[in-house]
Amino acid sequence: MRIYSELDLVAAEALRLDVWEGLDAPDLAAALSVLVFEARRTEDGRGPRLPSAAVSEAVSLTRRLWADLSALEKHHKLDQLREPDAGFAWAAHAWARGDDLDDILRATGMPAGDFVRVVKQLLDVTDQIAAATTSAALRRTAREAGDLLNRGIVAYTTVAAEI
């Protein structure tokens, strides 16, 4: 009820099954990024760059939930959810742990405007997860992830938009 993203059913199931429990804040930011990121172009055949085994496991479980929900939607002839995209996981993790924007943009080839847009969407999701979870630990981690993500150009563009 408190989750408003394209993959809200996936997020709700992940919360119910404690998929993100025990992740630290940068890992949670990376794992949640699959809910908001959608690559604009096809990848070069390599899988997405994931920052840790914990993120890899959380993304794998999230994709499994998506596959289960997608099969149910197909069975009932409903519009199907897009597949979670882990293409921003490394960048989200790097930004949350304090890496330099120029280094992240160079490594990803992503334009700064696209980066900021995705991080802002990710901030919305961290807020939604913090509000929706019944786990005090996950609530703290989601809030911490949001605080870590809301820095530099991301924080500046939020302030500038409010002026």
Side-chain angles (χ1 to χ4, degrees):
M1 197 163 90
R2 295 181 187 137
I3 303 170
Y4 308 98
S5 76
E6 186 178 348
L7 295 173
D8 54 358
L9 289 174
V10 175
E13 281 297 288
L15 278 175
R16 188 177 69 80
L17 297 172
D18 296 328
V19 168
W20 303 311
E21 199 68 40
L23 295 175
D24 67 14
D27 280 354
L28 181 62
L32 293 178
S33 75
V34 305
L35 301 174
V36 298
F37 182 72
E38 191 169 4
R40 289 188 176 181
R41 60 188 182 277
T42 58
E43 293 186 26
D44 57 9
R46 293 180 290 167
R49 187 174 171 190
L50 299 175
S52 70
V55 171
S56 182
E57 178 67 17
V59 167
S60 178
L61 290 171
T62 303
R63 283 186 170 150
R64 199 169 312 135
L65 289 172
W66 167 82
D68 292 346
L69 287 168
S70 185
L72 282 171
E73 289 170 333
K74 186 175 182 178
H75 175 75
H76 292 285
K77 296 176 175 56
L78 299 171
D79 289 337
Q80 292 180 279
L81 301 170
R82 70 162 179 82
E83 185 173 357
D85 188 334
F88 193 75
W90 178 85
H93 189 273
W95 185 248
R97 73 174 179 240
D99 286 11
D100 185 68
L101 177 65
D102 287 337
D103 294 340
I104 296 169
L105 296 179
R106 231 183 331 278
T108 62
M110 179 179 254
D114 289 349
F115 177 85
V116 170
R117 179 183 51 79
V118 175
V119 173
K120 285 185 172 203
Q121 291 172 332
L122 186 52
L123 280 168
D124 286 343
V125 169
T126 60
D127 287 346
Q128 292 168 24
I129 296 304
T133 186
T134 58
S135 164
L138 182 57
R139 184 176 302 110
R140 276 191 304 276
T141 305
R143 287 181 179 149
E144 181 184 354
D147 290 344
L148 293 172
L149 291 166
N150 195 20
R151 66 181 183 87
I153 191 170
V154 175
Y156 175 75
T157 58
T158 301
V159 170
E162 292 174 358
I163 294 177

